[in-house]
Amino acid sequence: QVQLQESGPGLVRPSETLSLTCSVSGYSITAGYCWGWIRQPPGKGLQWIGSVCQNGGTYYNPSLRRRVSISVDTSKNQFSLRLNSVTAADTATFYCARESYDIVTAQILINYMDVWGKGTTVTVSS
Amino acid sequence: QSALTQPASVSGSPGQSISISCTGTRSDVGAYNYVSWYQQYPGKAPQLIIFDVTRRPSWISSRFSGSKSGNTASLTISGLQAEDEADYFCSSYTSTDTPFVFGSGTKVTVL
């Protein structure tokens, strides 16, 4: 049974860096799939943040690209999110997810998220 | 890239069928069969219920079905039950700068 679990601080100061880790159990992150982050501000909808894929490539939401990075630690079967220069607008529940994808003309097309973590709430406040 | 457009709310009585629309463009819903749907209960993570427009994970009830026509995808819930009261989000791959986008979300109320 594949399980994902987010971890990280629940409170981050404005202008600092938000760092979260997703620990994967029951499946090797090198065996396939993309691995992504999604966030949901309180009372609002879902926003795809970005993904890291089996080919080592990373894909980001352009609205966050200048501030975000996603990396993989294969030795720990984990992947991580870093979001720089946070503001109150970054307050949200953050989910990690396993993402199915297709390859079309050598391009990765992210398709759907079939396994999700339970989510972790991050508040940006001084 | 704007979110795919969904109605804010849909309601129905137990046993009825309801449909939720998800309107995109020729760059996403209209161009690719990569539409998926998620069910989310309050305080819980989303759960995949439909992928590839019409396919359903094995553990999801057959009361849930998906379809697509042009730039609009739809989720239909048949035989509405109290447990179906939740938020529903669609999503799609897009060929724009943002490679993946979610819908705005629909709250389903069982009357």
Side-chain angles (χ1 to χ4, degrees):
Chain A
Q1 180 184 5
V2 183
Q3 293 185 315
L4 283 68
Q5 178 67 58
E6 306 87 352
S7 60
L11 178 65
V12 181
R13 305 299 183 191
S15 79
E16 296 188 346
T17 297
L18 180 161
S19 296
L20 298 175
T21 296
C22 182
S23 299
V24 180
S25 59
Y27 192 87
S28 171
I29 60 174
T30 61
Y33 290 93
C34 294
W35 304 88
W37 290 94
I38 300 98
R39 71 179 181 177
Q40 185 172 35
K44 297 188 177 180
L46 302 169
Q47 182 185 37
W48 177 78
I49 297 171
S51 309
V52 57
C53 297
Q54 187 183 9
N55 64 352
T58 50
Y59 306 85
Y60 300 123
N61 188 317
S63 69
L64 299 170
R65 183 173 289 134
R66 287 184 296 177
R67 299 195 291 130
V68 68
S69 67
I70 296 175
S71 59
V72 170
D73 186 338
T74 56
S75 67
K76 296 182 179 179
N77 215 40
Q78 297 175 338
F79 61 105
S80 299
L81 169 72
R82 287 175 58 87
L83 183 65
N84 304 323
S85 305
V86 298
T87 69
D90 294 310
T91 293
T93 296
F94 287 76
Y95 298 98
C96 59
R98 188 176 76 170
E99 300 175 344
S100 178
Y101 67 93
D102 279 342
I103 297 178
V104 177
T105 58
Q107 182 179 1
I108 284 184
L109 277 59
I110 295 170
N111 190 355
Y112 57 87
M113 291 79 180
D114 66 342
V115 184
W116 294 66
K118 292 183 178 180
T120 186
T121 298
V122 179
T123 300
V124 179
S125 176
S126 55
Chain B
Q1 172 68 22
S2 300
L4 305 175
T5 301
Q6 298 180 231
S9 62
V10 173
S11 62
S13 299
Q16 287 185 331
S17 293
I18 62 170
S19 289
I20 302 169
S21 61
C22 171
T23 302
T25 69
R26 289 179 294 179
S27 296
D28 40 63
V29 174
Y32 305 95
N33 289 325
Y34 293 139
V35 176
S36 52
W37 290 88
Y38 304 86
Q39 177 190 60
Q40 185 181 34
Y41 293 113
K44 301 295 185 181
Q47 176 186 218
L48 177 70
I49 56 174
I50 295 288
F51 64 100
D52 293 350
V53 180
T54 61
R55 298 176 66 185
R56 193 177 56 247
S58 59
W59 57 88
I60 297 300
S61 169
S62 58
R63 298 186 299 104
F64 294 91
S65 62
S67 62
K68 188 181 83 168
S69 177
N71 296 338
T72 299
S74 297
L75 172 71
T76 298
I77 308 175
S78 305
L80 197 64
Q81 299 180 1
E83 66 196 48
D84 299 330
E85 188 161 291
D87 293 325
Y88 293 82
F89 295 91
C90 63
S91 70
S92 175
Y93 170 80
T94 87
S95 59
T96 64
D97 287 348
T98 306
F100 192 86
V101 64
F102 286 99
S104 49
T106 299
K107 180 176 180 60
V108 168
T109 300
V110 180
L111 302 172

